[in-house]
């Protein structure tokens, strides 16, 4: 039976106690981690969010204390009053409280517990599905507790830093008009306006721009955003942004304040110095050198364009790619020249999985023998020139892709990362930041057969490229920037269009008729008529940033109650069916699922 806490007040968290407290009477409360009954002496490890503390129960039969202590099982919630003493047994150097124990005089069992479906311990081996079903238990584990504490520190420090920099924290609505920004909206039906829907925001983009129109100057928000995308393994349907917008600034100002924000977070939370200014690279350079717009620059293995070197060779794969306007590029996996054929075949499969038709290679053994998948189609001097262009030396493995640029970049960019993993080149303790600038404004969508905004429709084109808005959309660069950390895009933003004519032009380029643009974004275009400051902004994916700071591999490990790949919550079983009455009120009827043909 549960006892009351009445008359007791917790004096310390478990791991707040140390040798300095020896002799003090303390009251601690928490969960039983384990209970060791040595007959006459009982040791209990007590756990709370700060850590673990050893309690010792000994003697005094008449009080019933020993009997009660013997009843304690894992995850019981207890309160204990006792004296801090130097450990009677061996000191535990792995525990913050390893030199002490609390000799208990009074014990109360506040809540009993059934045996949990998995042990509450660090580095759980339990399947993630089970952990997520019992997330409230999973969240008791020290590694998740550390992650959420880290996340809280990031949020607090961000608020503090931005406030010091003159930002105001302003909330924007989450029931808004559907103004798609690229992804699919989550919709919420309106009861009062049957047949009408709110959308959940994909980001506060338009509202933060309107706040600039209203003169708030520097805004930020830790904003929940929703995107109903086809789910990839490490995406969440709802996620959190550190979102900001600034007036009377250009890209430089945004980058400056954000570099300092990152440096502050990493210094104060991880004690890691981030050298400033952060390096910058244009999108074009990033693609050419790393095959990615979010390059991991913790290691080299850069792409080399060998189109010129092989342009006259007889190898049809290379020749065709070049003739069709594509390129031939390679990477040099240093020291991998002895890679067994089977492993190379796996790399070929990997490349195919990333869109390549194939992957050509040259393996140079330590003794200088060269094995090549295409040497027979090449003249000897062509082969030699190719190896030289790649900086190929004894022991190297050279890998080549030939296709349209976009495919070649994608394939080699992914391969470069895969090899880095295999070669153990990625150190989670190393943090390499980088800005990517001058993104293309538009991106061709094969699916939609039209140009789409690469960032979003409010991004300002680079002045010198504005004439191409009428002639060659693919050539227009944007005043957009992404902040990249260890190969992850952790944030992105842009200088915004603040002239209504340029904004209208942009909508036109994206294929909206005037009416459609006004129907969807009329209030923004209208606002631009009444005095609008030049403005720019940026938003971080907070989950991903915290994931990297916590050295985790999944954002689920830094979100208290995450959803899984199909956007459901394994614990609460959301989404769920609702009462017929609720649907009626909303004027909604559910169509019977059409029977699928077998
Ligand atoms: N709203 C943008 C996004 O969610 C960020 C920005 O441009 O500030 O990607």
């Amino acid at each position: 039976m549960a006892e009351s806490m009445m008359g007791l007040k917790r004096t310390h968290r478990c791991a707040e106690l140390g040798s300095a407290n020896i002799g003090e009477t303390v009251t601690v409360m928490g969960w039983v981690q384990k209970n060791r009954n040595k007959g006459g002496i009982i040791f209990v490890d007590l756990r709370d969010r700060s850590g673990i503390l050893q309690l010792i129960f000994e003697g005094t039969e008449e009080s019933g204390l020993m009997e009660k202590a013997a009843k304690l099982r894992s995850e019981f919630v207890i309160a204990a009053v006792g004296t801090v003493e130097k450990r009677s047994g061996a000191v535990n150097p792995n525990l913050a409280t390893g030199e002490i124990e609390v000799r208990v005089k009074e014990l109360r069992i506040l809540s009993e517990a059934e045996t949990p479906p998995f042990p509450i311990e660090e580095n759980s081996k339990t399947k993630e599905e089970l952990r997520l079903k019992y997330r409230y238990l999973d969240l008791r584990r020290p590694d998740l507790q550390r992650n959420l504490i880290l996340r809280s520190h990031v949020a607090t420090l961000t608020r503090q830093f931005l406030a010091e920099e003159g930002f105001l924290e302003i909330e924007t609505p989450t029931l808004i008009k559907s103004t798609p920004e690229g992804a699919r909206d989550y919709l919420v039906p309106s009861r009062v306006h049957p047949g009408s829907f709110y959308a959940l925001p994909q980001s506060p983009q338009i509202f933060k721009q309107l706040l600039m129109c209203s003169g708030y100057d520097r805004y930020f928000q830790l904003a929940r955003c929703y995107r109903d995308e086809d789910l990839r393994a490490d995406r969440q349907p709802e996620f959190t942004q550190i979102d900001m917008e600034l007036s009377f600034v250009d890209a430089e100002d945004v980058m400056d304040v954000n570099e300092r924000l990152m440096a502050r977070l990493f210094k104060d939370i991880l004690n890691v110095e981030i050298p400033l200014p952060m390096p910058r690279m244009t999108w074009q350079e990033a693609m050419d050198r790393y095959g990615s717009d979010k390059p991991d620059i913790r290691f080299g293995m850069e792409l080399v364009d060998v189109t010129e070197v092989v342009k006259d060779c007889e190898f049809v794969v290379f020749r065709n790619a070049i003739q069709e306007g594509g390129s031939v590029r390679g990477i040099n996996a240093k020291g991998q020249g002895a890679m067994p054929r089977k492993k190379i075949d796996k790399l070929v499969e990997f490349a195919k999985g990333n869109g390549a038709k194939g992957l050509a290679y040259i393996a140079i053994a330590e003794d200088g023998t060269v094995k090549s998948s295409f040497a027979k189609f090449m003249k000897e001097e062509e082969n030699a020139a190719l190896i030289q262009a790649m900086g190929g030396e004894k022991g190297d493995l050279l890998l080549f892709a030939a296709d349209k640029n976009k495919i070649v970049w994608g394939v080699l960019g992914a391969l470069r990362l895969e090899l880095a993993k295999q070669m153990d080149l990625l150190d989670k303790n190393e943090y390499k930041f980088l800005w990517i600038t001058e993104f293309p404004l538009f991106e061709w969508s094969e699916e939609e057969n039209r140009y789409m905004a690469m960032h979003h429709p409010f991004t300002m084109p680079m002045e010198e490229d504005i004439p191409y808005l009428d002639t060659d959309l693919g050539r227009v660069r944007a005043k957009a920037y992404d902040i990249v950390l260890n190969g992850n895009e952790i944030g992105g933003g842009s200088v915004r269009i603040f002239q209504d004519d340029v904004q209208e032009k942009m909508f036109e380029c994206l294929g909206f008729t005037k009416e459609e643009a006004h129907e969807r974004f009329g209030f923004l275009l209208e606002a631009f008529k009444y005095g609008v400051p030049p403005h720019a902004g940026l938003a971080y994916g907070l989950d991903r940033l915290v994931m990297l700071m916590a050295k985790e591999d999944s954002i689920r490990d830094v979100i208290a109650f995450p959803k899984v790949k199909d956007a459901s919550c394994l614990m609460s079983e959301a989404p769920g069916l609702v009462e017929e009455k609720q649907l009626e009120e909303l004027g909604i009827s559910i169509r019977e699922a059409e029977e699928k043909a077998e």
Side-chain angles (χ1 to χ4, degrees), residues 125-422:
K125 300 269 181 310
T126 309
K127 283 209 308 248
E128 197 184 15
E129 287 80 63
L130 190 66
R131 292 202 283 111
L132 288 174
K133 180 163 162 35
Y134 297 95
R135 186 61 160 178
Y136 43 88
L137 296 179
D138 196 27
L139 286 170
R140 288 184 190 174
R141 297 190 308 106
D143 24 10
L144 281 189
Q145 294 205 332
R146 267 199 309 272
N147 289 352
L148 292 188
I149 290 168
L150 174 87
R151 184 179 177 120
S152 171
H153 289 163
V154 171
T156 306
L157 199 56
T158 299
R159 286 196 160 96
Q160 191 186 326
F161 175 86
L162 291 176
E164 283 165 19
E165 295 283 330
F167 285 78
L168 300 170
E169 182 168 4
I170 302 176
E171 287 157 277
T172 54
T174 56
L175 291 175
I176 66 169
K177 187 171 157 151
S178 175
T179 49
E181 265 182 60
R184 216 175 280 120
D185 280 331
Y186 274 100
L187 297 177
V188 180
S190 159
R191 180 182 56 80
V192 184
H193 305 277
S196 289
F197 292 81
Y198 300 98
L200 301 180
Q202 294 183 26
S203 84
Q205 186 61 34
I206 294 183
F207 290 97
K208 68 174 174 174
Q209 291 193 239
L210 292 172
L211 287 171
M212 296 303 106
C213 294
S214 308
Y216 289 90
D217 210 88
R218 288 184 163 213
Y219 136 98
F220 85 97
Q221 180 180 195
L222 300 192
R224 194 63 66 83
C225 304
Y226 305 84
R227 297 184 189 174
D228 187 2
E229 292 177 296
D230 294 330
L231 293 160
R232 280 188 247 149
D234 210 26
R235 283 273 173 92
Q236 289 284 312
E238 55 180 309
F239 59 97
T240 308
Q241 287 188 340
I242 303 173
D243 188 42
M244 66 183 75
E245 195 74 10
L246 302 78
S247 290
F248 307 116
V249 296
D250 59 23
E252 290 299 324
D253 303 289
V254 179
M255 288 158 122
D256 168 64
V257 80
N258 279 287
E259 292 193 350
R260 288 185 293 110
L261 169 62
M262 286 301 112
R264 174 81 165 268
L265 292 178
F266 276 73
K267 179 69 196 158
D268 287 12
I269 296 177
L270 300 178
N271 199 23
V272 169
E273 295 284 348
I274 303 296
L276 299 187
M278 292 174 183
R280 293 183 191 183
M281 200 179 282
T282 64
W283 178 87
Q284 188 64 54
E285 186 183 348
M287 298 311 286
D288 282 336
R289 289 176 56 190
Y290 298 98
S292 166
D293 58 3
K294 43 180 195 300
D296 193 330
I297 55 167
R298 282 176 296 175
F299 65 100
M301 218 194 293
E302 294 188 17
L303 277 58
V304 182
D305 188 343
V306 293
T307 312
E308 273 303 307
V309 185
V310 300
K311 69 176 190 303
D312 298 320
C313 79
E314 294 292 312
F315 186 29
V316 283
V317 174
F318 287 179
R319 240 186 26 209
N320 288 350
I322 298 170
Q323 267 164 16
E324 280 159 30
S327 56
V328 182
R329 296 169 203 249
I331 51 175
N332 182 347
K334 286 256 156 232
Q336 299 298 301
M339 187 181 281
R341 182 61 202 267
K342 269 213 175 111
K343 226 173 140 192
I344 296 183
D345 288 345
K346 281 215 176 106
L347 291 181
V348 177
E349 283 315 306
F350 178 86
K352 285 184 180 162
N354 279 281
K357 292 193 202 80
L359 190 68
Y361 67 86
I362 299 176
I364 313 170
E366 283 301 341
D367 66 4
T369 3
V370 172
K371 264 194 234 144
S372 157
S373 64
F374 57 99
K376 52 180 184 269
F377 306 110
M378 308 271 286
K379 296 201 191 86
E380 204 156 300
E381 59 274 21
E382 285 171 341
N383 266 322
L386 186 55
I387 292 175
Q388 201 196 359
M390 293 299 301
E393 294 172 325
K394 287 178 183 163
D396 290 353
L397 175 65
L398 314 177
L399 298 154
F400 302 92
D403 213 311
K404 289 193 198 117
N405 284 340
K406 204 171 161 187
I407 294 180
V408 173
W409 284 327
V411 169
L412 293 183
L415 202 58
R416 179 179 168 269
L417 286 180
E418 173 61 23
L419 282 161
K421 258 184 236 152
Q422 293 186 10

